[in-house]
């Protein structure tokens, strides 16, 4: 089974990733991985860091002649922020000994990992918490998950996402979203993200995109921040991935965990999700039909999952990202040393990170889906898995 680990800090010298469990024979290039790293760096509402963030993951092991060998794949990604001498990060993040004159950060931000991280690990400085809990880590997460994403694409499974809402601006109904997203999904889910990427807020609707940009401008002037709602669509999955027999094998539960395990996420739903609670049964469940060859569903309000298993319909996942807690207009907090009330300090940050975060959300679902696929059709090499997959489909 595929799993990955990341290591590194926001302003450390580099991020490191290890991916294991990838079958032998999968074609992978550093350029394949760079595709989604570049996408992660784009989006309206970004802060100053984008001026020097140019992420590229270098593969240092696990490939031979452009294909995986079945062993762990290791990657490194230098941090340009660490290289900027005027910022002093090599001193602040010195790995050998404590340097003199380094200012401690003692003002925890509401809504961030700052205070509880200090309480958990018994620090007297918030810096270690900021460094590891930062969304900077998601750069290597995207790199690692891009390998699983490439595995899925090899078998015709595609992932794409788009922004549904930023702040008060967004679609008003499920049907409104389906009218624009579903026709794109018929050509594969990557069509959705490629269409969304034409907008700097990654919204498929041009009028809403313009309104979202204006909303971001307003909050930037106010010194505030914005979150929003996004949708991830997966196409090409066969029916029967996941299982109903144990709670931890349910596909929707596993997908929800990786979404909620991503920085700043505060909610997740599958298909209609919470809207199901406002409707009666005939408006929620998907009627089953048969076309002479296979079972189908008239609608996809369940979001492609029933009983913890894929139905063969596109999987639809929605996530909620909270506004970023680092804002120019400060919130009230308490100094950890003096216990006096203070205002939070400002660190360079985005006004709205949702157009970037959606690339992370697309990425993190890939290993879950890849493992569900391997559980049913698995083997040690791509050629073996291809044979298993063909046999299951009676090809």
């Amino acid at each position: 089974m595929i799993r990955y680990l990341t290591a590194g800090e926001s302003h450390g010298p580099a991020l490191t990733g290890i991916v294991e469990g990838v079958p032998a024979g999968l074609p992978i290039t550093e350029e394949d991985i760079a595709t989604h790293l570049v996408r992660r760096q784009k989006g309206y509402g970004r802060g100053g860091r984008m001026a020097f963030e140019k992420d590229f993951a270098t593969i240092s092991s696990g490939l031979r002649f452009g294909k995986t060998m079945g062993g762990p794949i290791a990657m490194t990604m230098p941090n340009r922020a660490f290289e900027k001498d005027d910022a002093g990060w090599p001193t602040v993040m010195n790995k050998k000994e404590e340097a003199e004159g380094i200012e401690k950060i003692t003002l925890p931000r509401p809504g961030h990992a700052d205070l509880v991280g200090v309480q958990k690990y018994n620090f007297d400085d918030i810096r270690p918490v900021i460094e590891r809990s930062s969304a900077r880590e998601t750069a290597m997460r995207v790199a690692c998950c891009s390998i699983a994403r490439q595995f899925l694409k090899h078998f015709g499974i595609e992932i794409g996402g788009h922004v549904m809402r930023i702040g008060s601006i967004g679609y008003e109904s499920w049907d409104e979203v389906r009218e624009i997203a579903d026709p794109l999904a018929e050509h594969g889910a990557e069509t959705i993200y490629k269409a969304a990427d034409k907008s700097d807020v990654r919204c498929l609707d041009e009028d809403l995109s313009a309104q979202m940009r204006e909303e971001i401008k307003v909050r930037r002037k106010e010194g505030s921040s914005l979150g929003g709602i996004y949708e991830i669509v997966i196409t090409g999955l066969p029916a029967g991935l996941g299982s109903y027999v144990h709670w931890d094998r349910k596909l929707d539960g596993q997908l929800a965990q990786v979404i909620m395990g991503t920085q700043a996420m505060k909610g997740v739903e599958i298909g209609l999700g919470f809207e199901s609670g406002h409707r009666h049964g005939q408006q929620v469940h998907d009627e089953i039909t048969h076309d002479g060859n296979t079972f189908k569903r008239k609608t996809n309000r369940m979001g492609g999952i029933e009983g913890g298993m894929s139905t063969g319909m596109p999987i639809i996942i929605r996530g909620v990202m909270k506004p970023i807690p680092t804002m120019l207009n400060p919130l009230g907090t308490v100094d950890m040393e003096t216990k006096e009330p203070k205002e939070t300090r400002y660190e360079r940050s985005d006004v709205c990170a949702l157009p970037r975060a959606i690339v992370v959300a697309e990425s993190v679902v890939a290993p879950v889906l890849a493992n569900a696929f391997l559980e049913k059709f698995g083997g040690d090499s791509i050629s073996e898995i291809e044979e298993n997959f063909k046999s299951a489909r009676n090809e």
Side-chain angles (χ1 to χ4, degrees), residues 77-93:
M77 187 185 300
N79 273 342
R80 297 295 178 90
F82 187 83
E83 298 170 2
K84 289 175 67 68
D85 292 335
D86 58 335
W89 293 116
T91 302
V92 174
M93 297 301 294

Side-chain angles (χ1 to χ4, degrees), residues 274-290:
F274 291 105
E275 191 174 334
S276 300
H278 298 278
R279 299 185 177 199
H280 60 79
Q282 279 77 8
Q283 296 177 329
V284 172
H285 301 292
D286 304 308
E287 292 185 297
I288 299 171
T289 63
H290 197 276

Side-chain angles (χ1 to χ4, degrees), residues 122-391:
N122 199 28
F123 297 132
D124 61 357
D125 183 352
I126 297 172
R127 173 61 63 189
V129 182
I130 294 174
E131 289 295 323
R132 183 57 189 171
S133 65
S134 167
R136 172 67 188 151
E137 177 268 343
T138 63
M140 182 51 74
R141 208 184 307 190
V142 168
C144 291
C145 294
S146 291
I147 295 174
R149 198 165 178 168
Q150 196 72 6
F151 169 83
L152 292 169
K153 189 173 180 180
H154 185 85
F155 290 96
I157 301 165
E158 298 183 6
I159 303 170
H162 63 103
V163 169
M164 294 172 49
R165 174 171 296 276
I166 290 179
S168 63
I169 308 299
Y171 299 97
E172 296 301 326
S173 70
W174 167 266
D175 292 335
E176 189 179 355
V177 179
R178 301 277 60 80
E179 286 176 7
I180 190 168
D182 287 357
L184 293 170
E186 290 178 2
H187 303 284
E190 288 194 356
T191 307
I192 292 177
Y193 91 64
K194 289 175 181 177
D197 281 4
K198 294 177 182 178
S199 163
D200 54 6
V201 290
R202 291 201 160 100
C203 178
L204 295 171
D205 185 282
E206 291 184 9
D207 292 336
L208 287 177
S209 291
Q211 294 178 55
M212 289 173 181
R213 284 192 292 273
E214 290 303 312
E215 177 85 345
I216 291 171
K217 289 178 183 177
V218 169
R219 302 310 167 194
R220 178 183 281 122
K221 289 179 181 179
E222 293 177 352
S224 190
S225 61
L226 287 164
I229 302 172
Y230 59 87
E231 181 176 270
I232 307 298
V233 179
I234 301 106
T235 57
L237 277 180
L241 302 191
S243 179
Y244 62 87
V245 301
H246 285 295
W247 64 271
D248 58 342
R249 293 178 62 188
K250 290 178 177 286
L251 187 60
D252 43 2
Q254 294 173 352
L255 290 168
Q257 197 280 326
V258 294
I259 293 294
M260 293 304 296
T262 304
Q263 287 89 329
M265 301 306 161
K266 299 301 289 185
V268 62
E269 58 184 1
I270 309 295
L272 272 175
F274 291 105
E275 191 174 334
S276 300
H278 298 278
R279 299 185 177 199
H280 60 79
Q282 279 77 8
Q283 296 177 329
V284 172
H285 301 292
D286 304 308
E287 292 185 297
I288 299 171
T289 63
H290 197 276
D291 64 1
N293 294 310
T294 186
F295 291 101
K296 292 189 175 181
R297 285 159 180 78
K298 289 184 178 180
T299 54
N300 191 26
R301 293 176 291 217
M302 287 290 95
I305 299 179
E306 293 178 354
M309 297 167 291
S310 61
T311 65
M313 297 288 284
I315 288 180
I316 300 172
I317 309 166
R318 291 176 169 185
V320 181
M321 183 181 189
K322 68 181 180 182
I324 296 168
T326 304
M327 295 173 285
L328 189 59
N329 190 8
L331 295 171
T333 187
V334 174
D335 191 301
M336 294 191 314
E337 281 192 333
T338 68
K339 309 303 186 292
E340 295 293 324
K342 293 283 184 70
E343 291 184 338
T344 53
R345 56 179 275 165
Y346 178 72
E347 302 230 358
R348 180 180 53 234
S349 181
D350 303 339
V351 175
C352 180
L354 182 58
R356 300 177 63 202
I358 192 170
V359 180
V360 182
E362 289 176 5
S363 300
V364 297
V365 301
V368 172
L369 300 169
N371 284 334
F373 188 89
L374 283 168
E375 184 178 36
K376 193 167 183 67
F377 308 107
D380 297 313
S381 67
I382 293 297
S383 58
E384 183 182 0
I385 299 167
E386 288 172 343
E387 288 300 316
N388 293 341
F389 192 37
K390 290 178 181 178
S391 176

